[in-house]
Amino acid sequence: METPLTENIAPDRTPLDLRGYEAKGGYAALRQALEMGPAAVQQVVKDSNLRGRGGAGFPTGMKWSFVPMGETARRPKYFVVNADEMEPGTMKDRWLMEGDPHSLVEGAILCAYAIEAEHAYIFLRQAYELCAERIGRAIAEAYEACYLGLNIQDTGYNLDLHLHVSAGRYMCGEESGLLDALEGGRAIPRAKPPFPQTAGLWGMPTVVQNVETVCNVRHIVAKGPEWFKGLSLTEDGGTKLYGASGKVRRPGLWELPMGTTLGEILSEHAGGMIEGHKFRGCLPGGASTSFMTEDHLDVAMDFTSPPKVGSRLGTGTMIVLDDKTCPVGMMLNVEQFFARESCGFCTPCREGLPWVMRTLEAIEMGRGKPSDMDILDHHVAMIRPGHTFCALAPGAIDPLDSALRYFREDFERHITEGGCPWR
Ligand SMILES: Cc1cc2nc3c(=O)[nH]c(=O)nc-3n(C[C@H](O)[C@H](O)[C@H](O)COP(=O)(O)O)c2cc1C
Ligand code: SF4
């Protein structure tokens, strides 16, 4: 089984320096791309079926094709790596950045080149101090070796790459909020259209792409789209970083073929449940996805299959719920996070999420009333895509919606028994 994304990552995640990275074939894809030209790089990425790994799964090549190209395009153009990674339960991008920072730097240069951008940013989560140190060093080495700066590798292509450390809000991960934050403002989502590809950073053409997406690009350029598609078990190309946390024997992160089933990830790679704990379900792609249960263990974890059972691949990093953990307490924890991270711009999210949080708190603490179930149901029905300005609030409500579907009797028991049965 090939594991291109993690092949350079040592068990202790000590990264390769520039010479070590080059000795393993690093920056060869960039040299190759500079000979191919931007249009050809865009085409191989389009042909590879690479879909964005930040959660939404938008086809990467198609996103690039919306960027105005050529002499008449408005400039400067920008490429931005979304390394904000504040999704609860998710640590896949940190793994890549700590363990193989040059891979991200080379990927960012390739993506910027494909859209003819002259400036690129890596927008990094504030808490990721080790990543900042290692990426900063990799960028400096890349400048010294003329992979960045003016006249890269004597081709006439110029690119500056800046590391920007976020002020630290979940909302900064939403791509248009991220652009506000990069401009020095408060992270509030922008109305779309126009999309960032035509009017993004400072109103100029911009592409925002997740770390894992970017790290795939050098392998696609070097080995071709057919090779990339062949790595996957389903239609979505490539491998995927999957993770699991909770009461499993081996919590961690694994690079596996895209489309590996939920059951294989949990039993073979996470080692199954810890003795004495039974699997009840999991949030499969970070906290903002809907529960999958024992009935879904044979579902292929790609962008197409989980929606057929009412969930999403999301980030591919699972938070497992066991029978010794209270689902109401778990949902309270999740909604506390999202209520705190609301940017406050639209009413259903600013007012609704704290109301949900207070209702869950009352139920968990034994102060719940039967009418509280109606309050939760009402919010689940109202906080939907199209009712809020961005995807934060619908993402916050999806796990609760599914918890009420699969574990409703546990919520009701809290109310009838006047407290949490797990305490
Ligand atoms: C509230 C919110 C937070 C997000 N946080 C992240 C994040 O931390 N990292 C990320 O790559 N995408 C995040 N996204 C998705 C981005 O808006 C965007 O779709 C993504 O960066 C595009 O890159 P991709 O096509 O490579 O996936 C978030 C979306 C929302 C609504
Ligand atoms: S849903 Fe509305 S209030 Fe919530 S984060 Fe998005 S824009 Fe802000």
Side-chain angles (χ1 to χ4, degrees), residues 171 188-189 341-347 349-350 353 388-394:
M171 196 51 220
I188 294 175
E341 295 298 329
S342 165
C343 82
F345 192 55
C346 59
T347 312
C349 176
R350 184 188 61 242
L353 293 184
T388 63
F389 202 72
C390 85
L392 185 145

Side-chain angles (χ1 to χ4, degrees), residues 86-117:
M86 270 188 72
E87 183 69 32
T90 301
M91 60 303 188
K92 67 184 183 69
D93 297 342
R94 190 186 97 200
W95 200 269
L96 293 170
M97 291 186 285
E98 282 182 6
D100 197 9
H102 270 293
S103 192
L104 180 67
V105 171
E106 183 179 3
I109 303 168
L110 281 164
C111 296
Y113 178 69
I115 60 159
E116 297 172 339

Side-chain angles (χ1 to χ4, degrees), residues 50-60 63 79-87 90 92-93 123 125 169-178 189 192 207-214 288 303 315 338 341 390-393 395:
L50 172 65
R51 295 179 65 170
R53 306 302 202 233
F58 194 83
T60 304
K63 189 192 272 189
F79 178 75
V80 182
V81 179
N82 189 342
D84 199 49
E85 197 170 70
M86 270 188 72
E87 183 69 32
T90 301
K92 67 184 183 69
D93 297 342
F123 187 95
R125 177 177 171 180
R169 299 301 302 204
Y170 180 67
M171 196 51 220
C172 295
E174 193 278 337
E175 65 177 7
S176 62
L178 182 155
K192 296 174 196 165
V207 164
V208 180
Q209 218 76 75
N210 170 259
V211 169
E212 186 183 349
T213 316
V214 173
S288 60
F303 291 105
T315 59
F338 287 120
E341 295 298 329
C390 85
L392 185 145

